[in-house]
Amino acid sequence: MASRCSPFHQAKPAGRTTNRHQPMEDIRLPEDVLSAVISLATLGPRGACIAATVSPAFRAAADSDVVWSRFLPADLAPLVYPEPPPRSKKELFLRLSSTHALLPDGLTCAWLDRESGAKCYMVAARAMSICWVDVPEYWRWIPHADSRFRECAELLAVCWFHITGRIASRMLSGDTRYAAYLVFKMDDDSYGLDSPLQVASVSVGEDTSTHPARLQSYADYEENDGADEEAAPRLPQERPDGWMELELGDWYNHGGDDSVVCASIKETRIGGNWKKGLILQGLEIRPKN
């Protein structure tokens, strides 16, 4: 029976014998064929980079515009930098996934997720709804050297708070599971943000999900502030950029609709403890890990 060989290798001429461990000679497929195969395989940006390490032929194909065009959203206009012009689609993708572009409104920055190519955004605190933010005794606007925006909202003193951020679903990538994160820091003299228990929520159209949460966390809590015993509160995590983030919820964005995503956090009861020291940068929306 005739032996089978891989389509990426050529059979040895008849009459020649070879050691079964001897490497076979590669077939040199045209670059456009390799590009089409890699593109159709939907390997993602990471997979394309891995494919580029196989051989020089694969590198040329995996770095081609045919492949990297698949990882760029069709509506790039708000994200593309006019200068300097990119030399390739791969360079454009790497630029958009490594830099947070401030959009013309000055209140939103955007970038691409390096793993999936999905669009990501951060909405500035100035563009969010913050209860009593216009009362100087309660909140003030301050510049912050580490912020992506000109100013952040600093909590001076309130006994109850409610913060909400919004984004249109059509701005996001379709067929992608997203999560919303509150991005903030705490002053050295902050207090009161650990109790009473807060509620984090995400609403898309008529669908709403809620979770107990705490903006400040300590090692132990003897009481659960009325939360379901099985629902442990979500706690903030430190980010590589030095800020803290608290996940408010996640949802699946189908794409193609005009719904609005609302992500919020508020306290479970009015008239709780006085609190201060929260420095709010904004709301980040990115694909859920």
Side-chain angles (χ1 to χ4, degrees):
M1 178 180 293
S3 62
R4 295 184 177 181
C5 63
S6 166
F8 292 96
H9 296 84
Q10 64 181 15
K12 295 293 182 180
R16 290 180 60 183
T17 60
T18 181
N19 186 297
R20 63 194 180 105
H21 298 296
Q22 180 178 344
M24 294 183 177
E25 185 179 351
D26 290 341
I27 285 182
R28 296 188 177 277
L29 295 177
E31 181 181 321
D32 59 341
V33 175
L34 282 176
S35 296
V37 170
I38 295 172
S39 176
L40 293 174
T42 61
L43 301 174
R46 181 183 294 274
C49 291
I50 294 174
T53 66
V54 172
S55 69
F58 268 76
R59 183 181 304 113
D63 289 348
S64 69
D65 285 351
V66 172
V67 171
W68 287 88
S69 291
R70 290 180 61 87
F71 309 141
L72 292 167
D75 51 343
L76 267 175
L79 299 175
V80 175
Y81 307 126
E83 296 294 341
R87 294 169 296 178
S88 66
K89 297 294 186 182
K90 180 179 180 180
E91 181 182 324
L92 176 59
F93 178 90
L94 294 178
R95 184 187 302 175
L96 295 178
S97 61
S98 61
T99 304
H100 303 96
L102 188 63
L103 301 189
D105 63 5
L107 299 175
T108 310
C109 63
W111 66 99
L112 298 183
D113 177 56
R114 182 155 289 195
E115 294 292 329
S116 64
K119 291 183 286 185
C120 309
Y121 296 91
M122 181 183 278
V123 178
R126 267 289 187 189
M128 300 176 69
S129 297
I130 304 173
C131 189
W132 295 318
V133 74
D134 295 326
V135 181
E137 293 80 12
Y138 294 160
W139 292 84
R140 69 175 177 177
W141 296 100
I142 61 169
H144 199 290
D146 297 332
S147 175
R148 299 174 188 171
F149 306 103
R150 184 195 305 186
E151 54 191 359
C152 298
E154 181 183 19
L155 173 59
L156 299 179
V158 294
C159 60
W160 184 81
F161 72 91
H162 186 185
I163 301 171
T164 303
R166 297 174 176 81
I167 192 168
S169 293
R170 64 178 178 275
M171 293 178 63
L172 306 174
S173 298
D175 299 323
T176 302
R177 178 159 293 279
Y178 278 94
Y181 302 85
L182 196 74
V183 181
F184 60 94
K185 285 188 175 184
M186 294 289 187
D187 275 342
D188 293 337
D189 58 349
S190 63
Y191 60 81
L193 289 158
D194 59 313
S195 179
L197 195 69
Q198 295 120 26
V199 175
S201 66
V202 167
S203 300
V204 185
E206 298 180 354
D207 298 326
T208 301
S209 62
T210 61
H211 304 274
R214 295 187 193 276
L215 282 169
Q216 277 184 316
S217 61
Y218 297 99
D220 298 302
Y221 282 100
E222 295 182 358
E223 50 97 13
N224 205 21
D225 288 340
D228 183 3
E229 292 182 358
E230 297 182 356
R234 291 184 174 178
L235 302 177
Q237 304 292 326
E238 187 172 2
R239 296 155 51 103
D241 61 6
W243 290 80
M244 303 294 292
E245 68 177 24
L246 176 67
E247 182 181 334
L248 303 183
D250 64 89
W251 70 99
Y252 190 81
N253 191 62
H254 296 278
D257 58 44
D258 292 327
S259 60
V260 175
V261 179
C262 296
S264 71
I265 184 168
K266 64 180 179 179
E267 287 185 339
T268 55
R269 63 174 183 260
I270 298 178
N273 301 331
W274 283 90
K275 51 194 60 68
K276 76 179 293 287
L278 177 73
I279 300 174
L280 178 62
Q281 181 180 181
L283 181 74
E284 185 166 294
I285 298 99
R286 65 177 191 263
K288 187 175 175 68
N289 294 336

